[in-house]
Amino acid sequence: MNKTKSPWIRTVTLPKPTLQDNTADSDRLISALKSKLQTNAVHLDLDLLKKLPDLLRKWEFNVRCILFKDRHGWLLSGIAAADDSRRFVGLAVDLGTTKVVLRLVDLSDGRLLGESGVNNPQLSVGPDILVRIHFAETSGGLKRLNALIIAGLNQTVQDLCRSCRLEPQDIYTIIVAGNTAMTHLFMGLDPRWIIREPYIPVTNKPGIVKAAELGIQVNAGARVFIFPNVGSYFGGDLIAGIFFAGLHKRSDPGILVDVGTNAEVVVGNENWLIACAGAAGPALEGGMTEMGMLAGPGVVDRIAIHPDTHEFDLHTIGGESPKGICGSGIIDLAAALFLSEMIDIRGKFVPAVCGKHLKQIDGLAHLVVVPADKSATGSDLTLSQVDLDSLIRSKAAMYTILETITTTVGITLEDLSSFYVGGTFGSFIDPRAAIAIGMLPDISLDRYKPLGNSSLGGAALALTSADFLKEIDEIRDRITYLELNVNQEFMNRFSAAKFLPHTNALLFPSVKKRG
Amino acid sequence: MNKTKSPWIRTVTLPKPTLQDNTADSDRLISALKSKLQTNAVHLDLDLLKKLPDLLRKWEFNVRCILFKDRHGWLLSGIAAADDSRRFVGLAVDLGTTKVVLRLVDLSDGRLLGESGVNNPQLSVGPDILVRIHFAETSGGLKRLNALIIAGLNQTVQDLCRSCRLEPQDIYTIIVAGNTAMTHLFMGLDPRWIIREPYIPVTNKPGIVKAAELGIQVNAGARVFIFPNVGSYFGGDLIAGIFFAGLHKRSDPGILVDVGTNAEVVVGNENWLIACAGAAGPALEGGMTEMGMLAGPGVVDRIAIHPDTHEFDLHTIGGESPKGICGSGIIDLAAALFLSEMIDIRGKFVPAVCGKHLKQIDGLAHLVVVPADKSATGSDLTLSQVDLDSLIRSKAAMYTILETITTTVGITLEDLSSFYVGGTFGSFIDPRAAIAIGMLPDISLDRYKPLGNSSLGGAALALTSADFLKEIDEIRDRITYLELNVNQEFMNRFSAAKFLPHTNALLFPSVKKRG
């Protein structure tokens, strides 16, 4: 986080009231802020109004103001003595279906104060968002889901604050980015119509709500900004990603890919933004392979294969004994298998090369990646031909989506001067491996930019930007959503992409060289 | 109340969602309203958002909208089916120190639905606003005063609604006009600094607050607009009066006088407004004379005296036996006494003319207005020389204030083409009597316009006007408050006005003629 001067904190020294200047307390404060902020609208809540006369006099009319901005003016969220050394804190929230990640930021200088991630407490209802939406339709279901996420958030805020020696009371601004369904459940809005044709959210622009109205236990004056969405399938988390990557401010076109069960893709620059989403297949998340799992200690995330001995060189998170493999590990593994010719261009095991690594289980070829005596589970960690086929389909889908969206806007993948990869998974992908299997295009490696948690990054960035709302509204309004038609052309592209790296090897010159 | 088309109700038919037009429910509604209202800002609350998807589909996307407007855009306070026949109701409140008067208005056509006045429940703490302000400074005092007025208001709303076959839930908009101190107590704001030099209110522009935040039990989406004030001594009730009289829209200058314990006076036109206030003396409210009381059944409000017999011809409110006299009755009485020469130009009883009507009680001359056998109290109703002296001072103060303010702005009383008399008392004054004693200037009678409860009138008028907020802000900002200096010039004017009708009889030609 940059140590930029915050737009949200202003210290004002008010002229003291006299018989000649007997403006009311709040109007005196508002008038000073209006002139300082060059605005004609500053609002303050009744709660603050009630405390104002005592505090102004106690502080001798020197006031530190914590502000926020909505679409039509400024809000005064809180005040303190000019020499008060307490921190005024902003909270960025990535409201994921699986994980909720919180980041505390000092509103006065944008400094990171703490971060914490917890499982989304709604997982107890169902890991899948569809299951939750159906649960929301049962009696009391929506209330329950809403209560789970709000209570979980309050608990995490409390824990995180304690570990940072802060109080929830110190939080004056909250910015939340989540997908459309999670946003609805967070606000207590009925998600029923999101999943039914023609897929209508309750709101595209939730805007700014009082934290207290949402049941969030922070400062009484705190406001929550919730990222807008484009529709049911393109949520605020992705708009936060665009905002974080700065895709909307580039002169030449760039691309942002959020890789997960769905691949969400946005291509654009300062003039236009085209988005689409498609099922990239769960293989990329490590969900469907036998040994696949989400990244964590003991999970294999990097693999190299010795070109002569075909011995595996594994790297696990935290250096612990391997217990499974995550998405980026699988891509590494597939790339290494292909480059060492243990699988062919169709992704099929080559028994002659695989040799002792190959094993038949229930009549199906399995590659033993970690033998039982070296694994943390006590069993072989294996990759089956079915796993591989699934991975090939996923990577082909991803490439096809990338090809389709760029073709639609009349550019080539080579025209993309920056390639942002977002999502927790995206940030761990080794672009070389992804290129080797033809999942990502064969462009210069320095164009690839991992974003990490871009949804959280976008929410935190908004906490330090005075004009974030205008900028985010502009992003949202500029996005054209491209409905992917799985027509003959798409299928042709998909079929061509189902080879390693691709039927047209000319598209992947660097892989050829290395191969 | 005029049957004007209301600006607050709009019925919209939304295009039904399709795959091609999959805007979210709220954005669909907001977009239709934006185009209908020609605005770029329509806000709706989270509560309404939660109900929206179900209701829109139940009503097949035909929606009747109840709107309100704040300084920066429109608010959607509530929705109903397009064919719903329930009334949407606005509530105007005159928040008087002594009396609180409520009026219900149909928001769709401005029609009066009901009206009710009750004593201000804060009277239990003290009849005088100063006593209440001091009470507010004691522990829990402010909370108690606030709770009294809010609970009283809720009860009166409930009773009034029941008598009109309405529900408090039907009330979507509330407009409140009160003096600065009452406004503070109503909002729970500390009034302490209003009465201490340099006399600073907490707020001059309370603006719009959610009814629920104030504890008012009406529709959950309802908003309350509270009239702004100019300062501690010129409150929202008077701004409501100006708004009601239309003083700020006149091309030629007019005057508005609110007569009570204080005389509040505004002179102005479409370009300027000058206000001042001064103690006119409680005699004018009937408070300090021995037989004086507030208007009510059995109270004398009109008196004529037979020129020859000097018999009194009394009119009482409701035609009941007389039990006292109200402010307008006292003015009538004094005028009749003067015109029949029972008092002289100094306001002293002329024993030779008063004859049997005069009585000495404790060495002080008393005029028996109603003998014991004809009064409802069983005692004589009398007017003492002290009462008369007090009345003379009050009327002199009033005339002096009128003379001073017009002189200050460089016009004469004769230049005033309209003379609005507001306040409950003002509406009952017979201008002829007030002119006869020299309290009001001797201008053509048709220029006198009684306004009745102008504070309530202004609040109710705002309920039917789309641009009320802008208009009221403009009134408030245009007012120049004139501090009355009781200097030698003022005292000279006051001394000259202490005669009946005035030292300079040329100022009152019509009185001369009749006399």
Side-chain angles (χ1 to χ4, degrees), chain A residues 348-366:
Chain A
K348 300 294 179 193
F349 291 122
V350 181
V353 187
C354 292
K356 58 170 183 170
H357 288 292
L358 220 52
K359 213 177 186 177
Q360 294 290 322
I361 303 172
D362 296 335
L364 180 67
H366 279 70

Side-chain angles (χ1 to χ4, degrees), chain A residues 17-19 22-27 41 46 49-50 53 57 72 187-188 193 197-198 200-205 213-214, chain B residues 17-19 22-27 41 46 49-50 53 57 72 187-188 193 197-198 200-205 214:
Chain A
T18 62
L19 278 174
N22 61 355
T23 301
D25 290 336
S26 70
D27 301 79
L46 185 58
L49 214 50
K50 288 181 181 174
R57 282 162 185 81
H72 306 291
M187 294 180 74
W193 304 103
E197 207 180 304
I200 308 296
V202 178
T203 180
N204 291 134
K205 295 186 177 180
E213 263 189 88
L214 292 165
Chain B
T18 63
L19 279 173
N22 61 356
T23 301
D25 289 336
S26 69
D27 301 79
L46 185 59
L49 214 50
K50 288 182 179 173
R57 283 161 186 82
H72 306 291
M187 295 179 74
W193 305 103
E197 207 179 305
I200 308 296
V202 178
T203 179
N204 291 134
K205 295 185 177 181
L214 293 166

Side-chain angles (χ1 to χ4, degrees), chain B residues 388-409:
Chain B
L388 256 179
D389 293 349
S390 160
L391 174 67
I392 300 282
R393 279 195 303 276
S394 289
K395 80 94 190 174
M398 171 61 85
Y399 190 80
T400 306
I401 291 169
L402 296 177
E403 228 184 355
T404 302
I405 191 168
T406 46
T407 307
T408 305
V409 299

Side-chain angles (χ1 to χ4, degrees), chain A residues 314-383:
Chain A
L314 303 175
H315 177 265
T316 63
I317 298 174
E320 298 178 18
S321 295
K323 62 179 185 187
I325 191 164
C326 67
S328 60
I330 287 191
I331 291 170
D332 254 33
L333 175 59
L337 290 172
F338 175 60
L339 294 177
S340 62
E341 296 179 339
M342 293 170 78
I343 57 175
D344 63 17
I345 61 162
R346 297 168 306 144
K348 300 294 179 193
F349 291 122
V350 181
V353 187
C354 292
K356 58 170 183 170
H357 288 292
L358 220 52
K359 213 177 186 177
Q360 294 290 322
I361 303 172
D362 296 335
L364 180 67
H366 279 70
L367 184 85
V368 179
V369 181
V370 184
D373 61 345
K374 288 187 177 162
S375 86
T377 63
S379 312
D380 290 344
L381 300 184
T382 64
L383 182 76

